[in-house]
Amino acid sequence: MATDSSEAPFTAKLRAPEALTFDDVLLRPKESHVEPDEADTTTRVSTSVELPIPVLSAAMDTVTESTMAIAMARRGGLGVLHRNMDVERVVEEVERVKRADELIIHEVVTADPEQTVRDVDEMMEEAGVSGAPVVDDAGEVLGIISSTDVRPYLEVGERDAVREAMTDEVITASEDVTPREALELMYEHKIERVPLVDEENRLTGLVTMQGILQRREYDAAARDPEGRLRVGVAVGPFEDERARAVDGAGADVLFIDCAHAHNRDVVDAAREVADGVAADVVVGNVGTREAAADVVEFADGIKVGIGPGSICTTRVVTGAGMPQVSAVAQVADVAAPRGVPVIADGGIRYSGDAIKAIAAGADAVMLGSYFAGTDEAPGRVVTMNGKRYKQYRGMGSVGAMQSGGGDRYLKEADEDEEFIPEGVEAATPYKGSVESELFQLVGGMQSGMGYVGAETVPAFKERAEFVRVSPAGQTEGHAHDVVITDEAPNYSPDR
Ligand code: XMP
């Protein structure tokens, strides 16, 4: 005889709701007037930070340090610095990103008028600059010296004072100079750098031709209101000091980095971090609508992903998880009406997965394995069986936890104790520059927008519909019944 579910609580559990992931769905093609190249990928990663492309590199120690963050921001995305480094180092990393394409250099390498020519030459080489303003003790600009003034020591001896070798007719400008005005000055006077001075002729900064041209090259970069590159930083839920330090250093978005943020202590701590910093705070990871409801009040963004990552073993180790497309949709149902952006983190192998995540309600996607094989990721290239690889490891792997990331999994970070890992250490094929990876990723996403007929990310989120895919449909969707002879830059059947 049938029993009703209230009398049969355990068997009732077996009528479990279905949850879907990337391979379970496809975007339903729709009539379109949108050419892929015209699709505008501008999005928001958090309530006040806009990005030209909806792509983030993961906060992992084999993916994002300042080199990756600079490359991502220059191309319109966002790198999130990992937290397996001490506070002092992460502050330096933030500063490195912020200085990368700075129009006005504020920490200027300067020369002393009494220094010898040989000294200044060595100093400039060490600092990687080819010229330096010469200032006196009061900071007043007396001249400018460049490598051409000191090499090959034609008119001045190595031991002569800088004062004798420098150019003393210096063209200066004030701090409010625009890039165009600075360039005009440089062309007019055939110079490559313009020191900026205050009313007393004291040095306040420097503008260089190289800096201006570099900014022109990256005209679609993700920049803060001062024109510096954007950067995100992962902070542990209980790491107040790190949060305050990177906030002070100019980080744009802090990412509360926790494998299961729907935990009372983590939610309370995250709220405190959000209250105490100027930067936007994205809270994660979560994977259900209840979790989203608990953080949406104070979060500037919500990051979604419980166990979808390529190096994650959370689901098999803990038995818990949420297939990613359903997780994103549940969170977006709560976050979107409140105007809080959603980031889909993990499990994205192809550009098609990335655009499906957006269709499910995400505003941006975060990827680890996709970028770990690039030149800009930390770590060196190794060769195995004649193929080139780079190391890629989960932040919950034994190696990464030993380097300091244990509390992401709400475990005590004690080096002597045995860990219960939730990730593996792996190798990923070497891929060359991140630029070509991003080109393929974003280009594929734009093509997806074209198939749905949506010109912008918000329009795409509204217009996109899914169809369910059977196992036979999945097989049909991959290259099949052929032997692949040439690798495509955006497709490998075993990703
Ligand atoms: P993908 O699939 O892009 O995933 O390589 C990257 C995301 O995976 C998460 N992550 C982990 N999850 N164990 C986990 O369960 C781990 O060791 C681990 N390390 C990273 C993280 O959210 C990352 O952005």
Side-chain angles (χ1 to χ4, degrees):
M1 215 174 92
T3 338
D4 97 6
S5 65
S6 60
E7 290 159 22
F10 295 104
T11 46
K13 284 189 208 191
L14 301 181
R15 284 194 289 277
E18 190 171 48
L20 304 177
T21 193
F22 300 112
D23 282 348
D24 296 319
V25 291
L26 277 171
L27 299 172
R28 188 166 182 275
K30 291 190 162 182
E31 193 201 2
S32 177
H33 304 282
V34 179
E35 304 308 329
D37 288 344
E38 291 164 7
D40 176 356
T41 56
T42 308
T43 193
R44 275 184 321 148
V45 68
S46 59
T47 43
S48 57
V49 174
E50 202 178 84
L51 293 180
I53 63 167
V55 180
L56 284 69
S57 64
M60 300 173 70
D61 61 7
T62 46
V63 181
T64 311
E65 292 187 348
S66 52
T67 304
M68 177 66 81
I70 290 168
M72 290 294 299
R74 280 181 173 163
R75 286 161 189 88
L78 188 77
V80 184
L81 300 172
H82 69 84
R83 63 188 180 95
N84 268 5
M85 50 184 142
D86 61 27
V87 172
E88 201 179 317
R89 172 141 179 249
V90 75
V91 165
E92 278 167 22
E93 291 277 287
V94 171
E95 287 169 352
R96 207 173 147 234
V97 181
K98 288 291 168 189
R99 276 201 310 266
D101 287 356
E102 198 173 40
L103 177 64
I104 298 179
I105 302 165
H106 283 112
E107 280 172 33
V108 185
V109 176
T110 58
D112 185 292
E114 307 314 330
Q115 237 177 322
T116 66
V117 161
R118 169 194 274 261
D119 239 23
V120 87
D121 193 18
E122 280 171 10
M123 179 193 84
M124 291 196 297
E125 197 170 332
E126 211 166 277
V129 299
S130 53
V134 182
V135 296
D136 65 13
D137 290 346
E140 204 174 316
V141 178
L142 306 176
I144 192 153
I145 188 139
S146 74
S147 346
T148 43
D149 297 325
V150 299
R151 236 180 276 150
Y153 310 129
L154 283 180
E155 289 175 21
V156 287
E158 287 185 64
R159 289 171 195 215
D160 287 346
V162 163
R163 182 186 290 285
E164 287 159 44
M166 70 187 190
T167 307
D168 47 16
E169 276 172 31
V170 201
I171 308 300
T172 59
S174 60
E175 278 270 337
D176 54 11
V177 69
T178 65
R180 176 184 287 271
E181 288 163 353
L183 258 191
E184 276 169 10
L185 278 177
M186 290 178 197
Y187 286 134
E188 193 184 329
H189 298 279
K190 297 193 172 50
I191 51 175
E192 294 204 347
R193 47 189 75 74
V194 176
L196 305 182
V197 292
D198 62 14
E199 282 115 42
E200 266 98 61
N201 198 35
R202 281 184 309 228
L203 184 73
T204 59
L206 183 75
V207 181
T208 67
M209 170 96 72
Q210 194 195 5
I212 296 177
L213 297 183
Q214 210 157 36
R215 275 169 66 107
R216 284 200 173 168
E217 191 184 335
Y218 302 115
D219 57 349
R223 297 189 188 281
D224 67 18
E226 289 171 44
R228 302 173 304 171
L229 296 176
R230 297 267 197 201
V231 63
V233 183
V235 300
F238 311 110
E239 287 189 316
D240 285 5
E241 190 201 342
R242 181 181 300 262
R244 273 183 273 115
V246 295
D247 185 46
D252 297 278
V253 190
L254 307 194
F255 290 75
I256 302 293
D257 184 43
C258 182
H260 181 38
H262 199 198
N263 165 299
R264 204 61 277 151
D265 291 344
V266 173
V267 172
D268 291 344
R271 185 183 288 112
E272 266 180 44
V273 171
D275 285 347
V277 296
D280 274 3
V281 174
V282 170
V283 181
N285 279 10
V286 298
T288 62
R289 59 173 64 82
E290 304 83 73
D294 276 0
V295 301
V296 74
E297 294 295 337
F298 66 91
D300 298 305
I302 305 181
K303 190 151 70 71
V304 183
I306 308 288
S310 59
I311 33 50
C312 298
T313 54
T314 293
R315 294 183 188 171
V316 286
V317 170
T318 69
M322 186 72 167
Q324 185 68 340
V325 168
S326 291
V328 169
Q330 286 205 10
V331 172
D333 276 346
V334 177
R338 316 290 289 268
V340 175
V342 172
I343 299 148
D345 173 17
I348 291 169
R349 305 149 300 168
Y350 302 106
S351 44
D353 295 344
I355 197 67
K356 286 178 197 175
I358 306 251
D363 296 270
V365 291
M366 176 179 264
L367 302 92
S369 78
Y370 202 92
F371 297 130
T374 63
D375 292 323
E376 289 78 358
R380 62 191 181 88
V381 180
V382 293
T383 306
M384 295 188 290
N385 299 329
K387 276 194 81 179
R388 291 190 291 171
Y389 296 87
K390 285 190 85 162
Q391 190 203 16
Y392 179 47
R393 66 182 187 185
M395 293 301 277
S397 66
V398 172
M401 289 218 267
Q402 273 165 348
S403 308
D407 62 338
R408 182 171 197 271
Y409 298 88
L410 302 172
K411 304 270 187 199
E412 291 297 321
D414 181 347
E415 277 176 36
D416 301 329
E417 230 175 86
E418 208 174 315
F419 291 108
I420 300 170
E422 289 183 30
V424 294
E425 300 184 51
T428 183
Y430 169 67
K431 291 181 177 164
S433 86
V434 79
E435 183 175 4
S436 59
E437 287 301 291
L438 269 177
F439 179 77
Q440 292 297 334
L441 179 67
V442 177
M445 294 173 78
Q446 286 178 302
S447 296
M449 293 169 75
Y451 275 102
V452 168
E455 207 158 16
T456 64
V457 170
F460 175 79
K461 282 170 60 175
E462 212 177 297
R463 190 168 158 82
E465 286 172 19
F466 288 121
V467 290
R468 278 296 298 277
V469 182
S470 67
Q474 276 176 34
T475 309
E476 186 185 63
H478 280 266
H480 57 86
D481 302 307
V482 291
V483 177
I484 296 176
T485 52
D486 289 300
E487 267 182 26
N490 55 0
Y491 178 72
S492 155
D494 44 37
R495 266 203 198 188

